Amino acid sequence: MSLQVERLEHNMAKLTIEVSAEDLEKALQNAYNKQKKNISVPGFRKGKVPRQMVEKMYGPEVFYEDAANALIPEAYAKAYDECELTLASQPEIEVTQIEKGKPFIFTALVAVRPEVKLGEYKGVEVDKYSNRVTTKEIDAKLEEERNKNARTITVEGRPVQNDDEVILDFEGFVDGVPFEGGKGENYNLTIGSGTFIPGFEEQLIGVEVENEVEVNVTFPEDYHSEELKGKAATFKCTVHEIKAKELPELDDEFASEVSEFDTLEELKADIKAKIKDQKVAEGKKAQEDQAIEAIIAASEMDIPEAMIKTEARQMVESFAQRIQQQGLTMDQYMQFTGMTVDKMLEEMMPQAEKRIQTRLVLEAIVDAENITISDEKLDEEVAKMAEMYSMKAEELKSYMGEGEKEQMKKDIAIEEAVKVITDNVVEK
């Protein structure tokens, strides 16, 4: 195999890869061997038709596509390893020569990792953040805890109120005719949840138990059923039961039941401390993001579109894996949302570009600061990971290949670069 590399503008490169005629002949013969059992020609037993006869009947190019598909991945992988450039996208392959007795030649158009002209990264100005905790925020957390520990009780002697949970029967009509899917019995609905069509739940407020009421609504224009979009409908509803949350009293007993503390004041102090810690973490992250954005704006880099597209494709693949873990296929997601892969890729392009810019800038800071990660530092991080997974550090390390260890060192170096930035920010 031989390789020629041509640098193009905007950090693109064209690799011209040549595979010997002998290797092409082997690939053609392999393609014939795989297909011959399915080839039938009068006068020959199936699977026994000579290759020369097949090529004479169908043309020598009959096996070209399979041969090319077999040769390209291995030849490109070798070219990737031999190329002195840092390639940064999936290649666009074009076959330029495939003919018996001649070398097989194809080109790969690929993005090259851009050089970064790094802007000032120390002393970047960022906004101050507040870690002040208000009484209102503490009360909100307490209220959240009360709701988690609330009992649901049946209410008698009053009509439906907002936030009530009701058990009801309903049947819907359009132009006086019942419609499919518009009927429910003993349905559990929380008033104010927004579960039903806009306007439906509000009209149940004030309704007494076992009194039939008519609810008039209009289906939204974007409703999923074509037959009901924009249609006016009447629902005949009967509420059979009203339930409401009974919240516990905010006192020392409550504090001891929901926490490790004996008094409400101790619980409040703990909530305050946790909110403060959260604000500090969020404030520092906001400063980090703001500083990196400023450094990106002050730096220069020409990122090829192919590199951004590759990043966006990887993001889509990661998304597909995440929803698959939740029991949903990508096809189902597309069907439910009306999304397409092309639309997802388009929407992810700006985020993909931002990710690349961030990574390139941080890698440039690693180089500028001459940050290197020792084997001892790697071992420390592996030990932390092992503790998280309740494993022994040596056991976890034994599962890691050299490539994984090197990638982990790079990730740690990036974290060190972030620390260089955040340790040197200047608050406005």
Side-chain angles (χ1 to χ4, degrees):
M1 187 209 79
S2 64
L3 169 66
Q4 291 182 343
V5 180
E6 180 186 356
R7 289 297 300 261
L8 307 175
E9 59 181 7
H10 300 307
N11 288 310
M12 295 295 292
K14 184 167 79 171
L15 313 185
T16 301
I17 302 164
E18 183 176 312
V19 181
S20 69
E22 291 78 11
D23 285 341
L24 174 60
E25 175 56 32
K26 289 178 186 176
L28 289 169
Q29 183 63 31
N30 288 337
Y32 160 72
N33 291 336
K34 287 181 180 178
Q35 294 185 37
K36 66 181 181 180
K37 64 179 179 294
N38 300 318
I39 300 173
S40 297
V41 172
F44 294 90
R45 282 187 299 155
K46 191 172 183 180
K48 299 296 183 180
V49 185
R51 176 180 156 193
Q52 293 81 359
M53 178 65 72
V54 177
E55 291 177 337
K56 185 175 180 181
M57 292 183 66
Y58 299 105
E61 65 276 4
V62 66
F63 299 117
Y64 283 177
E65 184 177 351
D66 283 352
N69 288 339
L71 288 170
I72 287 170
E74 184 179 354
Y76 178 75
K78 288 180 180 177
Y80 182 94
D81 291 337
E82 288 181 18
C83 183
E84 295 181 356
L85 302 173
T86 304
L87 306 183
S89 75
Q90 293 296 322
E92 291 182 22
I93 302 295
E94 182 181 352
V95 174
T96 57
Q97 178 175 289
I98 182 166
E99 187 177 342
K100 283 178 65 176
K102 294 183 179 181
F104 171 55
I105 303 173
F106 67 97
T107 62
L109 186 65
V110 64
V112 177
R113 182 186 181 278
E115 294 293 326
V116 178
K117 186 178 178 181
L118 191 59
E120 185 57 56
Y121 59 90
K122 290 182 179 177
V124 179
E125 287 192 345
V126 294
D127 295 329
K128 287 184 179 180
Y129 66 86
S130 171
N131 59 12
R132 178 175 170 269
V133 181
T134 64
T135 303
K136 187 176 180 181
E137 289 169 324
I138 297 171
D139 289 345
K141 282 292 181 183
L142 282 171
E143 197 63 23
E144 190 179 305
E145 199 62 42
R146 286 181 77 201
N147 276 283
K148 283 181 188 176
N149 291 274
R151 304 192 294 142
T152 301
I153 59 170
T154 300
V155 176
E156 296 179 355
R158 71 161 174 82
V160 176
Q161 295 178 2
N162 197 35
D163 296 327
D164 281 347
E165 192 178 297
V166 300
I167 308 297
L168 78 156
D169 295 344
F170 61 85
E171 185 173 14
F173 301 83
V174 171
D175 297 328
V177 179
F179 58 86
E180 187 178 351
K183 186 174 182 178
E185 293 182 351
N186 293 320
Y187 191 91
N188 195 314
L189 174 66
T190 300
I191 305 301
S193 65
T195 306
F196 274 25
I197 306 160
F200 184 101
E201 295 167 23
E202 292 86 341
Q203 294 180 56
L204 292 179
I205 294 174
V207 172
E208 302 279 355
V209 171
E210 301 302 341
N211 285 354
E212 185 178 286
V213 62
E214 289 192 355
V215 172
N216 297 299
V217 294
T218 301
F219 284 96
E221 293 294 339
D222 60 352
Y223 195 66
H224 60 82
S225 170
E226 288 291 334
E227 294 78 13
L228 297 175
K229 284 183 177 179
K231 294 286 182 68
T234 297
F235 285 85
K236 292 182 179 179
C237 305
T238 302
V239 173
H240 296 305
E241 190 176 355
I242 303 172
K243 297 180 179 181
K245 282 184 180 179
E246 184 177 65
L247 300 176
E249 291 293 326
L250 273 178
D251 52 23
D252 292 345
E253 184 181 351
F254 169 77
S256 64
E257 287 177 354
V258 302
S259 73
E260 61 192 71
F261 304 106
D262 295 326
T263 68
L264 184 60
E265 288 307 311
E266 288 176 310
L267 176 58
K268 286 182 178 181
D270 182 66
I271 289 172
K272 182 177 181 179
K274 287 177 178 175
I275 295 174
K276 185 174 182 178
D277 288 345
Q278 183 181 351
K279 286 193 172 190
V280 169
E282 290 173 352
K284 287 182 176 179
K285 184 64 173 69
Q287 287 187 340
E288 176 190 316
D289 292 342
Q290 188 180 0
I292 290 173
E293 283 184 16
I295 297 165
I296 290 171
S299 302
E300 295 178 17
M301 61 195 103
D302 184 7
I303 301 174
E305 187 177 10
M307 186 177 181
I308 301 172
K309 285 181 177 177
T310 295
E311 182 75 19
R313 276 194 291 270
Q314 291 171 351
M315 291 167 64
V316 170
E317 289 167 7
S318 296
F319 176 79
Q321 290 172 358
R322 287 197 302 273
I323 64 170
Q324 192 171 8
Q325 290 170 354
Q326 298 169 9
L328 193 66
T329 67
M330 196 65 165
D331 286 341
Q332 288 171 326
Y333 174 80
M334 297 296 179
Q335 184 180 354
F336 295 153
T337 62
M339 184 68 74
T340 65
V341 173
D342 287 343
K343 190 176 179 183
M344 281 189 76
L345 284 169
E346 183 182 348
E347 289 185 356
M348 286 185 174
M349 287 287 279
Q351 187 182 349
E353 183 177 17
K354 181 67 177 296
R355 281 191 181 189
I356 293 169
Q357 289 172 330
T358 300
R359 187 167 65 239
L360 289 174
V361 158
L362 292 175
E363 287 173 354
I365 295 173
V366 169
D367 293 339
E369 292 288 316
N370 197 24
I371 297 172
T372 55
I373 303 302
S374 65
D375 290 340
E376 290 75 19
K377 178 66 174 175
L378 176 64
D379 288 344
E380 288 177 18
E381 294 301 317
V382 170
K384 291 177 186 176
M385 286 178 60
E387 190 176 349
M388 286 172 57
Y389 296 114
S390 301
M391 295 174 65
K392 292 182 178 178
E394 286 306 314
E395 182 186 4
L396 178 58
K397 197 173 180 181
S398 69
Y399 295 135
M400 298 171 64
E402 290 305 313
E404 289 174 298
K405 291 175 187 175
E406 285 305 309
Q407 184 57 54
M408 193 168 175
K409 282 186 175 183
K410 289 180 181 177
D411 293 341
I412 298 169
I414 291 293
E415 291 173 9
E416 293 293 322
V418 172
K419 192 171 185 301
V420 169
I421 295 169
T422 54
D423 283 352
N424 290 279
V425 294
V426 176
E427 292 184 335
K428 298 178 189 176

